[in-house]
Amino acid sequence: MTKLYSDLYKTCMTCGKEKLATDFYVRNKVSMVRHSICKECDKERVKKRHEENPERTRNNDLKRNYGITLDEHTQMYEEQNGVCAICEKSGDGKWKKLCVDHDHKTGKVRQLLCRNCNMILGQVDDSINHLEKLTKYLQKHSPTHKTP
């Protein structure tokens, strides 16, 4: 079956340009109805909204990813005096760039960590056994380590 011109092209309600239908996000995957704003204009709209209210964006990201609000994150940050819960180095940047550490099995938020400490826990899959073996290895090969 041949597609009609109106099925192949749409006019964006924001920029007024006629574009391929594939340049519009799908609104409903069953009926394949597409949005009235093209992808390019929609991205600009979202970018502008994020620039105008970054706190809202950060709050939504924290809620979606970790189940906490920006206020709860700020409270955790202040309780930790702005430092990593492991190495005690300070966070950096506008959003107090300490990572939200959480248990990947339960989703429970633990504390805020610097990127390095958070990545180390991720690399060892939060395994205490693995961390103990790493510690023994470093002690064994430390120039200050004395063998009994």
Side-chain angles (χ1 to χ4, degrees):
M1 181 165 128
T2 309
K3 289 205 175 225
L4 298 173
Y5 183 85
S6 61
D7 292 334
L8 296 174
Y9 293 91
K10 282 183 66 108
T11 301
C12 175
M13 299 301 282
T14 300
C15 66
K17 294 179 184 174
E18 187 175 62
K19 298 183 176 194
L20 286 171
T22 55
D23 289 334
F24 295 77
Y25 290 114
V26 174
R27 179 186 303 256
N28 182 324
K29 291 184 181 180
V30 175
S31 64
M32 291 305 288
V33 172
R34 294 185 176 270
H35 286 267
S36 58
I37 299 170
C38 70
K39 291 177 182 179
E40 190 176 328
C41 289
D42 195 48
K43 287 177 186 174
E44 281 300 314
R45 179 190 62 81
V46 170
K47 181 180 176 184
K48 184 178 177 188
R49 188 182 75 215
H50 289 194
E51 288 170 354
E52 289 173 354
N53 195 348
E55 289 84 10
R56 175 183 172 195
T57 300
R58 179 69 171 146
N59 189 58
N60 289 344
D61 290 346
L62 287 168
K63 282 199 282 189
R64 181 179 59 254
N65 294 326
Y66 308 107
I68 63 171
T69 64
L70 183 55
D71 288 340
E72 291 169 317
H73 181 274
T74 301
Q75 182 180 353
M76 289 173 67
Y77 184 86
E78 289 169 358
E79 287 172 359
Q80 289 181 213
N81 297 315
V83 298
C84 171
I86 296 174
C87 71
E88 299 182 345
K89 289 184 181 174
S90 61
D92 58 356
K94 180 176 180 182
W95 294 114
K96 306 165 182 127
K97 290 292 185 189
L98 289 173
C99 301
V100 178
D101 179 44
H102 65 287
D103 185 310
H104 286 261
K105 291 179 182 120
T106 65
K108 183 178 184 272
V109 171
R110 295 186 280 220
Q111 285 185 285
L112 303 177
L113 305 178
C114 70
R115 285 187 182 102
N116 287 340
C117 290
N118 194 46
M119 286 180 13
I120 289 168
L121 288 180
Q123 290 295 316
V124 299
D125 201 26
D126 294 343
S127 167
I128 294 169
N129 184 41
H130 196 144
L131 289 169
E132 288 172 346
K133 288 179 180 181
L134 285 169
T135 302
K136 288 177 185 173
Y137 175 84
L138 287 174
Q139 288 171 339
K140 176 181 172 185
H141 294 286
S142 171
T144 58
H145 178 73
K146 297 176 183 153
T147 38

